[in-house]
Each structure stands twice: as structure tokens, then as C-alpha cells.
Amino acid sequence: MREPTPRRDAYDPVPGAFSERGTNGPTSLKRDLLLRLRLDGPSSPDQLAERLGASRTGVLQQLRALESAQLVSRQTVRHGVGRPRHLYDVTPDAQDLFPTNYDALASGLLAAIEAVGGDDLVDQIFDARRRQLGSRVREHMAAHVALDAPLLDRVRELAVIQADQGYLAEAILEPDGTIRLREHNCAIFHVAQGSPAACRAELELFSDVLGADVVREQHIASGDRCCSYRITDN
């Protein structure tokens, strides 16, 4: 017996993900096609249309859009006489549109590390991560701002780096000359809630790569709306 079609809300990729990949138009059928292909494997347009209760023309149109976006692939299968059969399947590029659970994995790993070595080992792990991140951040900043650039320019570049990592960061120059870095999102929120070492490492990272005094004034993990840092020259 064929598996029933799952409820629409069983899979909800990032809003707008399909249109950003060049597949303009309604996203619900695209989403359902990707889910159906993930569950059922290679399928023909006729099979997909039957399973989803959609028109074959509509299914073909959306499959072509998904293929153009490299989210599905098509293979031709010949069987006897007559026209060849086209089968579609999801590509590895579609993986990012399906649900993930990295927060739970990271939190579970940290809990395991703490169980093995206690808080000291957790601190060592975040220190090692801070050093790795520090090397990459310095390399990026060296390519975009001069080593002797004004502090504000360095903070602005750091804000760009953090924004690229999902922190919705911005650099702010207050009327009184105070420089602040604000992060309006915590990209590691659940990890930060469970391990204060994560936020300590970030604070030390900012101080290291900027060569400046960095003071956290607001903290998302503590209930504030943003993480805000006051930054001054040493």
C-alpha cells in the first residue's frame, strides 16, 4: 500500500528559499514535489501528479523550474517501444531546504564533552574554536581593511563577517563618538543558553581580532533583544 501524502505542514523549508534559487512563482507545489521525491525516490511527472492530486501540466512546469535551479535532476529511462520515460529526483543541492537539527546535535555534543571532562574541557573546546575563528577573521579583515585602519573601519568589517554568519550584525557610531557592534540575532542561541563559555569565547574573539577593549552591554541569551558591545581602543 502506498504511503499517504504527508500533511502540508509536515515540511516547511525556509520561506522564499525557492524563489531565491531562481524558481519564481508559488512555492507550495515545489515544496510538495521535493518532499514527495525525497520520500518516494525517482518518480515520473504522472506519478507525482497522481500522488499530489495536481495537474500533470502544473507538475511538469514546477519540475522544470526546480531542475533549472539544480534542485532536482532528470533521467531518461527507455522501456520497450514508445516514448522514453522521464524520472525526476532531488539533488544534493536540495538538502539545505529540508529540516535540520544542528542545534540539538551541538547541544548534545557539548553535554557529552561536559560529562567527560567537566567545565574545564568545555572551556578548552571553545578556546580552540575561538583560535580557529580568530585566524579566519584576521585573514578576512587583512584582505579588506588595512592593519592600521581606524577602529570604526575594523568594527564595520567585523560586522560584515558576523552578518554573513547569520548574526544580523551592524556597526554603530553614536553621536558622542562611542562605537558599538550590535547583533540582532544569535546564530547559536540554544548553545549559548546552555553554555556560557560560548559567549565568553565570542567576547574574547572580538577583543583579539580588533585589538580593542570590548564590553558586552546587552545579551540575547540573558533575555535582551540584541547582543550589544561597546568597543574602545586599548
Side-chain angles (χ1 to χ4, degrees):
M1 183 172 66
R2 192 176 66 216
E3 181 180 351
T5 302
R7 288 175 46 197
R8 177 69 52 82
D9 60 0
Y11 166 55
D12 186 16
V14 178
F18 297 132
S19 60
E20 291 170 5
R21 295 296 297 269
T23 57
N24 296 323
T27 64
S28 59
L29 182 52
K30 294 186 182 77
R31 176 182 59 217
D32 292 343
L33 285 167
L34 287 171
L35 177 59
R36 210 59 260 166
L37 289 171
R38 173 63 82 187
L39 291 172
D40 300 340
S43 304
S44 70
D46 288 333
Q47 291 171 324
L48 291 166
E50 178 185 356
R51 293 165 186 165
L52 295 175
S55 71
R56 185 180 188 278
T57 300
V59 166
L60 264 176
Q61 180 182 11
Q62 301 304 336
L63 284 172
R64 287 168 182 157
L66 289 168
E67 186 180 10
S68 296
Q70 299 181 342
L71 296 175
V72 302
S73 61
R74 173 170 50 113
Q75 68 179 96
T76 301
V77 179
R78 297 189 179 276
H79 51 98
V81 297
R83 299 175 61 183
R85 187 185 187 197
H86 296 295
L87 297 181
Y88 291 83
D89 199 3
V90 292
T91 68
D93 285 350
Q95 179 59 50
D96 289 342
L97 299 178
F98 289 91
T100 58
N101 196 20
Y102 295 126
D103 276 352
L105 173 62
S107 297
L109 287 173
L110 284 174
I113 291 169
E114 184 176 10
V116 171
D119 291 340
D120 287 344
L121 184 55
V122 173
D123 288 341
Q124 292 176 39
I125 295 296
F126 278 106
D127 282 343
R129 179 176 182 272
R130 173 180 58 81
R131 290 191 294 271
Q132 292 174 344
L133 287 175
S135 296
R136 292 201 291 268
V137 170
R138 289 188 190 91
E139 182 178 344
H140 176 100
M141 293 185 70
H144 292 82
V145 295
L147 293 176
D148 58 350
L151 178 60
L152 179 59
D153 290 347
R154 285 178 277 142
V155 174
R156 283 172 172 161
E157 195 58 41
L158 180 58
V160 170
I161 295 170
Q162 291 299 100
D164 286 345
Q165 298 302 312
Y167 287 88
L168 300 180
E170 62 176 341
I172 298 171
L173 178 62
E174 304 286 4
D176 63 358
T178 300
I179 299 173
R180 285 188 170 86
L181 174 69
R182 283 187 185 151
E183 296 175 333
H184 297 276
N185 178 58
C186 179
I188 57 168
F189 178 70
H190 295 295
V191 172
Q193 275 195 318
S195 179
C199 296
R200 288 198 303 269
E202 182 183 63
L203 190 63
E204 293 172 6
L205 171 68
F206 292 168
S207 180
D208 288 346
V209 299
L210 293 172
D213 289 327
V214 181
V215 177
R216 181 185 289 117
E217 298 177 315
Q218 292 178 281
H219 191 204
I220 291 176
S222 298
D224 294 325
R225 289 189 58 83
C226 71
C227 288
S228 180
Y229 303 87
R230 187 178 74 252
I231 302 170
T232 56
D233 278 314
N234 285 327

